[in-house]
Amino acid sequence: MDSSLLALKTPAELAVELGDRLRTLRLGRNWTRRTLASRAGVTEASLKRFERTGKASLELLLEVALALDRLDELDGLFHPVQARSMAELEEQASLHARKRGRR
């Protein structure tokens, strides 16, 4: 999906959309909630809540992604932005040395 379209969604809207996508993917495999919950090692109730409301723990999201062989899709999150100039590279190098944020 285009990242500019994601910027138009709130976190809550995106969460609900992820729950919908999960349900679609699960049903596309002809799996019941019980089947996916068992394969992921999560409760059916937690899975149901995620599919209906988008509310889930990070652990549940990762376990479900693993069970669906989609964990690699989450691997791209939170990587540092690639530097485009020497100044940006030097700035990134100085940030890595910091242990705490500024007040």
Side-chain angles (χ1 to χ4, degrees):
M1 178 173 276
D2 185 4
S3 62
S4 62
L5 293 177
L6 287 177
L8 299 177
K9 296 178 184 176
T10 66
E13 290 168 335
L14 184 55
V16 169
E17 187 173 307
L18 287 174
D20 288 340
R21 289 184 205 165
L22 171 62
R23 182 184 315 107
T24 300
L25 185 59
R26 176 179 60 78
L27 293 174
R29 291 181 181 210
N30 203 25
W31 288 359
T32 63
R33 266 194 205 111
R34 177 172 287 164
T35 300
L36 179 54
S38 175
R39 289 176 182 238
V42 300
T43 66
E44 282 184 69
S46 294
L47 190 57
K48 181 178 180 178
R49 182 176 54 250
F50 182 38
E51 287 185 353
R52 289 188 173 189
T53 67
K55 295 183 187 296
S57 68
L58 178 58
E59 183 178 357
L60 181 129
L61 179 64
L62 294 172
E63 293 293 348
V64 168
L66 178 63
L68 293 168
D69 197 29
R70 306 290 289 261
L71 194 57
D72 60 321
E73 294 177 25
L74 298 173
D75 189 41
L77 291 176
F78 306 127
H79 283 286
V81 177
Q82 294 294 322
R84 293 179 301 230
S85 68
M86 189 56 131
E88 285 182 7
L89 187 61
E90 289 170 348
E91 181 180 347
Q92 285 180 0
S94 71
L95 290 175
H96 289 298
R98 296 189 56 79
K99 300 294 183 198
R100 295 183 179 190
R102 295 190 178 109
R103 288 184 183 238

